[in-house]
Amino acid sequence: MTDSSFFDVSTGQSQVKSDIVAKYFDAWSRVMIATQNKLGGSENRIAYIDLFAGRGRYSDGTISTPLMVVRKAIQDVVLRRRLVTIFNDKNEDNSDSLKQAINHLPRVETLTYPPQIETQEVGEEIVRMFEQMSLIPTLFFVDPWGYKGLSLRLVNSVLKDWGCDCIFFLQLQPNQYGPE
């Protein structure tokens, strides 16, 4: 599958990945919010960041992980007030498509923090930015299919603060590391 055809039809594998991330996000966000409520303090935000976000919707109409997360936030009154979302894709067409898909979600305007959509290549600049930041509890989703940029330093830079977690998927190309 080439990069240009990746978003034509959602594969079973893509649906399973999105379901795993959406369910993990739901559980993780509940734990983070409950812990923040218990501890008190002034910080009541949590974040979800997807560094390789894609278009938001496949050509067959299936929604991808970013839309699943934003829809969950819209439906949950507490999450709606607390969730900060940042989506990135180095492909400007993908970022534009994602922005349109998010803007067409019913009641998206009820989110306290409108989703931020970036168009950057994941690399040293992003790693340095995360290394220098003190992060609110953040779930990072990194699925770099077809892109470079995933490094141990990147993972470390996003896991250094309390409540931060990272999900990443690696996909090996057939015969990349020996026989199938």
Side-chain angles (χ1 to χ4, degrees):
M1 186 178 305
T2 65
D3 285 346
S4 62
S5 66
F6 181 82
F7 288 103
D8 286 349
V9 177
S10 176
T11 64
Q13 179 180 348
S14 293
Q15 292 172 10
V16 168
K17 287 191 296 186
S18 288
D19 287 343
I20 289 169
V21 174
K23 288 176 182 174
Y24 189 90
F25 170 76
D26 185 43
W28 173 87
S29 64
R30 290 175 190 272
V31 169
M32 291 299 109
I33 289 169
T35 304
Q36 286 176 329
N37 289 342
K38 183 179 175 182
L39 296 176
S42 62
E43 185 57 69
N44 65 356
R45 295 175 302 152
I46 63 171
Y48 176 85
I49 298 176
D50 185 338
L51 297 177
F52 304 90
R55 295 182 358 195
R57 212 177 267 286
Y58 292 85
S59 298
D60 68 2
T62 305
I63 66 170
S64 63
T65 311
L67 292 184
M68 293 172 92
V69 168
V70 173
R71 280 188 4 184
K72 171 67 178 162
I74 291 168
Q75 295 166 358
D76 183 309
V77 67
V78 174
L79 203 49
R80 187 182 323 145
R81 291 191 312 250
R82 291 185 174 204
L83 184 64
V84 174
T85 53
I86 300 172
F87 301 106
N88 179 72
D89 197 285
K90 77 174 186 176
N91 180 308
E92 191 170 350
D93 291 337
N94 287 350
S95 293
D96 290 343
S97 177
L98 177 59
K99 186 179 292 187
Q100 289 177 7
I102 288 172
N103 288 338
H104 283 93
L105 289 174
R107 301 182 357 198
V108 69
E109 70 282 353
T110 63
L111 296 171
T112 299
Y113 305 100
Q116 299 174 45
I117 301 172
E118 306 291 333
T119 305
Q120 295 184 38
E121 185 164 351
V122 176
E124 285 298 310
E125 186 177 328
I126 288 178
V127 171
R128 279 193 299 275
M129 178 186 71
F130 286 135
E131 286 175 337
Q132 295 170 4
M133 294 173 73
S134 179
L135 300 168
I136 61 176
T138 302
L139 178 61
F140 287 86
F141 177 44
V142 183
D143 185 8
W145 193 91
Y147 294 126
K148 297 178 182 177
L150 177 61
S151 69
L152 184 56
R153 210 169 131 218
L154 173 64
V155 173
N156 286 335
S157 75
V158 300
L159 292 178
K160 68 182 177 359
D161 296 304
W162 178 84
C164 292
D165 212 344
C166 181
I167 300 172
F168 63 91
F169 289 98
L170 299 176
Q171 180 173 340
L172 301 178
Q173 300 301 317
N175 297 322
Q176 185 175 357
Y177 293 99
E180 296 181 61

